[in-house]
Amino acid sequence: VNAKYEVKEFYGETIVPLMQGQPGFQSLNVEAGVRYASYNSLVVGIASNKFNNWSYKAGGDWAPDDMFRVRGMYQRAVRAPAIQEIGLPRTPGTGDADTDPCAGTGPVGNASLTALCVATGVPAARIGGVSGPISGQVNNYTGGNPSLTPEKANTITAGFVFTPQAVVPRLSATIDYYHIKVNNAIIQLPEQSILNACYIYDKSASSPFCQRVHRNPLNGSLTGGTETGVDAAYVNAASYLASGIDFGVHYGFDLSDNMGAINLGLDGSYVISSKERDASFLPERDCKGLAGLTCKRPDPIWRFTQTTGWSFGPLDLSMHIRYISGITQDSIKLSGVAPSSFKKPTIPSYAYFDLQGSYAVTSYLTVRAGVINLTDKDPPVLGTGWGGTAENSGNTLPATYDPIGRRFYVGATVRF
């Protein structure tokens, strides 16, 4: 990667206390901020680009008393393309696709599709005999795009904090709603989306998506040499909408007879929607609770971590439960594919148990030990079709599920 940025920014922000210590207004604050950024980027020997953007925020919080606090914020957020996204060299590789509209008998008897397939590189004599994707894969190209511009998002968060220390000491709870809409998102379009955009939606050989299809000149397929495949380099095309609820509850109490204290905690998230659109004219999909070649990495509806801890003098012990709700293969929900087409059409909910402990030997030395995945729970074995090539490693999804099994660790901290 031979690329660089020059960035100039100015920003200002403020928090203004409007009222404090009044009946019904323990505190009332407003918050605002603004930022301007100007970018000059260069991919050496290829292209340069220049762009600017504004981002801003406005919100506040209100605490009527010591127990409740309500908070909210609206933000225009931006993310400029990273060095790798503008400067990664174009590299041939392997991508994911279920179907090729020009493969098999698909274009036979369909004059317009036949003409489009020929215009995008299928030899006329091969119509009706083009080989489709092999094991859900086609050749592709990945790489950067010097013309990328920033993503823009409108975000809304609102929630409250409950800390009834005078009534129930050591109890605290939070709940927050989030709604995030991202436009002009930088994406490596799924190869299947590029093929669908070309042959099902655009239907024009000169369209930007059809220009990304490079067929084998001998047989019209999407496999072959390094000059054959679907160009999945980065592009500003996608939009996302994510909404949900984050929550947390924490409570602690002392045991009788000087037996230490128990600390309980629950932190989790519930997904209301997780919508994606690869381009403005392509259909929107909701990936909530799904994973596969389209939605890629699993997006569980529920996730939480529950912690139970016991503290007794210098000794701390705790049990953690990591919960992931069930996942459905996205082709079943999004494309109506029969569940019997998959070795595992669904992944059941998963719970991992971890143990950890620490002991303060002196004020200078603390030792610790633990067990991760106490029950040695195996990851789901899924076969092909679950997640893209980058996500499905060894027929499972190691970024979400534990592929290693039970393991132990010990350590020590020394303070001088």
Side-chain angles (χ1 to χ4, degrees), residues 99-130:
T99 60
D100 175 3
C102 294
T105 59
V108 175
N110 185 331
S112 60
L113 179 57
T114 295
L116 182 56
C117 291
V118 171
T120 54
V122 176
R126 294 291 300 178
I127 292 295
V130 174

Side-chain angles (χ1 to χ4, degrees), residues 160-183:
F160 75 87
V161 181
F162 179 52
T163 53
Q165 298 301 305
V167 181
V168 186
R170 296 165 63 183
L171 172 64
S172 64
T174 62
I175 185 167
D176 291 278
Y177 168 78
Y178 63 87
H179 183 280
I180 304 169
K181 178 65 183 293
V182 182
N183 293 309

Side-chain angles (χ1 to χ4, degrees), residues 330-394:
D330 61 19
S331 295
I332 297 172
K333 180 78 175 289
L334 301 178
S335 304
V337 175
S340 58
S341 301
F342 300 94
K343 174 183 175 65
K344 274 187 174 290
T346 60
I347 304 173
S349 59
Y350 261 63
Y352 293 105
F353 296 84
D354 306 325
L355 283 176
Q356 69 178 36
S358 65
Y359 186 83
V361 181
T362 69
S363 59
Y364 304 103
L365 172 64
T366 300
V367 295
R368 60 188 182 276
V371 186
I372 300 174
N373 194 355
L374 178 66
T375 61
D376 198 22
K377 191 173 184 66
D378 292 329
V381 178
L382 303 171
T384 59
W386 275 91
T389 301
E391 290 79 18
N392 188 341
S393 179

Side-chain angles (χ1 to χ4, degrees), residues 134-197:
I134 300 171
S135 298
Q137 295 181 325
V138 294
N139 284 17
N140 77 346
Y141 309 99
T142 57
N145 180 353
S147 300
L148 293 175
T149 56
E151 301 176 339
K152 296 182 179 181
N154 296 319
T155 77
I156 298 172
T157 57
F160 75 87
V161 181
F162 179 52
T163 53
Q165 298 301 305
V167 181
V168 186
R170 296 165 63 183
L171 172 64
S172 64
T174 62
I175 185 167
D176 291 278
Y177 168 78
Y178 63 87
H179 183 280
I180 304 169
K181 178 65 183 293
V182 182
N183 293 309
N184 202 45
I186 298 169
I187 185 177
Q188 282 184 297
L189 284 166
E191 290 79 11
Q192 188 66 64
S193 294
I194 295 172
L195 293 172
N196 291 348

Side-chain angles (χ1 to χ4, degrees), residues 258-281:
N258 297 318
M259 290 301 295
I262 296 294
N263 296 291
L264 304 172
L266 178 68
D267 294 282
S269 181
Y270 171 73
V271 174
I272 297 174
S273 65
S274 181
K275 297 180 179 180
E276 304 175 357
R277 191 191 297 269
D278 292 332
S280 59
F281 57 86

